[in-house]
Amino acid sequence: MAAAQAVGLDPFRITALCARRVADALAFRSPADGVPPRPPASANENDPLGAPHRYVSDLQTAVPAVFDDWHAMLDADLVDAVLILAPVSLHHQIAVAALDAGKHVLIEKPLAITVRAGRAIAAAAGRRGLVAGVAENVRYASRTRAQWQAIDAGLIGRPQLWLSGGIGGEWAPDRVVADTPWRHRKLDAGGGPAIDHGVHLMHQLRYLMGPVRQVGALTAMLEPYRVGRSGRVANEVEDIYSAQLLFESGAIGTVFSGWAGRGAGTSLDASPSIYGSSGCIKADRLIPDGGAPVQVESVLGESGPGDSAAFFPHGIRDSFALELLDFATAISTGNPMETSADEAVLDLAMAYSILESAWAGAPVQVDDVLSGAVAGYQAEIDRSYGLQVPNPRVLDP
């Protein structure tokens, strides 16, 4: 909101805050409420988990109501739209109820606890004619936009190969990720890195390279326990994965990632690396055959392909601000967000294809995971939330 306000836009007014405890909501309303902010969960200030604390009072003079029950918030009818930042297991429960109450929804990634739950959200939005989207900021990032424009303009020819990955990082080898123990419980999070940030990767893959047809993957749990502020937490999900991808176009890909790994982290020198028939993109560099490397974001200039003004309205470059602005625009125009719930279901199906393949010990077709025909890994989760697919074709592990 602050980035939008800086260029004269004011698309939202925050009218209500809801958390499990009133004190948690008050911590974000105003310093005058006397509740100290929680310490950041990450040391990375570029990550929202590590961003400096902000209050609603920093952005507006109107004072929002505070609730500790989202049902009560919806019943109070004080909001037109809901931003859902709850644990993943609650996403479909809150979103469907909000949509049925006539509220638009923007949901933090991943869209839902399973593909089936994600499809329930998309169906509810379609049924009510409301906007439902996922907060997938990678779509709006300057580098991602530049990579898309370079590929769309044929600057590396036909995409042939994707490589990306990294092991370790801030949460390795055994920290509780973001100091949220639920991220390590299957029925609360769905999976580990394959889901938590795998949906970011899958959205980027689809946007830049097109749909994936088949996934073959392996996963492992290297750390059975993780340690956070609240002590030692049992881990129920994978903390590392490696996958081979076959795109509909015939291109192939390799991706790997993980929150574990002792000693030191490992990453590709340039991630992602996208090879084409006449050049490549290595992270922030565009390297055409027979030409000098250039910064890939240079294609976003006036002489480059595409219309950068459409990507960055009012000159806004902050990807989080742009996703919120897209949400507001979708509400006002009736057009879907670029990162609509329908798009997010596709990302979720690709991410769950990693876990379904590892569970079955065989490659899986993404369309089968999308339809629910293959749901062996997800079956336990779907049953627990009453979301089971009738007569799924479950591959034997």
Side-chain angles (χ1 to χ4, degrees):
M1 285 182 62
Q5 290 173 348
V7 296
L9 301 176
D10 197 11
F12 295 106
R13 182 75 64 243
I14 299 172
T15 56
L17 295 170
C18 184
R20 290 173 298 177
R21 300 186 309 138
V22 167
D24 291 336
L26 290 175
F28 291 93
R29 190 168 73 171
S30 168
D33 288 312
V35 180
R38 288 178 295 178
S42 169
N44 179 6
E45 289 195 0
N46 294 320
D47 188 319
L49 295 170
H53 192 85
R54 297 293 298 271
Y55 295 97
V56 173
S57 60
D58 296 334
L59 304 170
Q60 63 184 53
T61 56
V63 179
V66 170
F67 297 88
D68 61 2
D69 184 325
W70 55 269
H71 300 92
M73 184 191 73
L74 293 176
D75 289 343
D77 201 24
L78 297 175
V79 303
D80 300 311
V82 180
L83 174 60
I84 299 173
L85 305 173
V88 180
S89 59
L90 293 173
H91 285 190
H92 70 285
Q93 300 176 63
I94 298 173
V96 171
L99 289 162
D100 285 345
K103 316 301 181 186
H104 305 281
V105 295
L106 180 63
I107 305 162
E108 183 51 64
K109 62 80 193 166
L111 177 70
I113 190 71
T114 64
V115 174
R116 181 74 169 177
R119 293 183 67 174
I121 295 171
R127 185 169 62 245
R128 296 301 303 268
L130 295 166
V131 175
V134 69
E136 184 49 84
N137 71 296
V138 71
R139 172 74 165 234
Y140 306 92
S142 295
R143 183 179 296 177
T144 305
R145 294 299 205 187
Q147 291 166 340
W148 181 88
Q149 284 196 347
I151 293 170
D152 184 63
L155 300 185
I156 64 167
R158 178 176 59 83
Q160 298 170 321
L161 174 67
W162 173 287
L163 299 170
S164 66
I167 304 298
E170 184 175 6
W171 315 116
D174 61 353
R175 286 185 61 194
V176 172
V177 174
D179 203 43
T180 45
W182 61 261
R183 291 179 192 266
H184 304 288
R185 295 191 290 263
K186 182 176 179 179
L187 295 183
D188 289 333
I195 302 302
D196 187 85
H197 61 72
V199 290
H200 278 317
L201 173 62
M202 296 308 168
H203 186 87
Q204 187 181 23
L205 278 163
R206 282 198 313 111
Y207 183 48
L208 298 179
M209 298 276 289
V212 171
R213 176 188 304 162
Q214 179 178 286
V215 175
L218 296 171
T219 66
M221 182 198 298
L222 302 187
E223 301 293 337
Y225 295 95
R226 304 188 77 88
V227 181
R229 292 171 185 165
S230 58
R232 195 166 85 151
V233 173
N235 186 23
E236 300 174 359
V237 294
E238 92 290 347
D239 52 23
I240 193 167
Y241 70 85
S242 177
Q244 301 295 314
L245 313 175
L246 173 62
F247 291 85
E248 293 283 359
S249 66
I252 61 174
T254 295
V255 296
F256 62 93
S257 187
W259 293 326
R262 292 183 174 270
T266 298
S267 63
L268 298 180
D269 289 339
S271 187
S273 290
I274 306 168
Y275 286 85
S277 57
S278 60
C280 70
I281 296 170
K282 295 177 69 67
D284 62 344
R285 291 180 298 149
L286 170 64
I287 309 169
D289 277 358
V294 298
Q295 290 295 306
V296 70
E297 290 185 41
S298 67
V299 306
L300 289 170
E302 292 182 2
S303 61
D307 181 6
S308 62
F311 285 155
F312 309 109
H314 304 276
I316 296 173
R317 291 289 181 124
D318 182 278
S319 61
F320 297 99
L322 288 169
E323 72 185 14
L324 286 171
L325 186 59
D326 191 15
F327 183 45
T329 301
I331 292 171
S332 64
T333 64
N335 296 321
M337 290 182 66
E338 286 191 59
T339 57
S340 67
D342 288 330
E343 291 290 314
V345 169
L346 298 176
D347 301 334
L348 200 58
M350 283 176 55
Y352 264 114
S353 292
I354 293 172
L355 299 182
E356 294 292 353
S357 173
W359 188 89
V364 298
Q365 304 300 306
V366 174
D367 280 350
D368 286 341
V369 178
L370 178 63
S371 71
V374 171
Y377 176 90
Q378 296 170 86
E380 175 189 6
I381 310 172
D382 282 334
R383 281 195 300 270
S384 72
Y385 294 105
L387 293 164
Q388 62 267 32
V389 181
N391 301 317
R393 178 170 60 83
V394 179
L395 300 179
D396 291 329

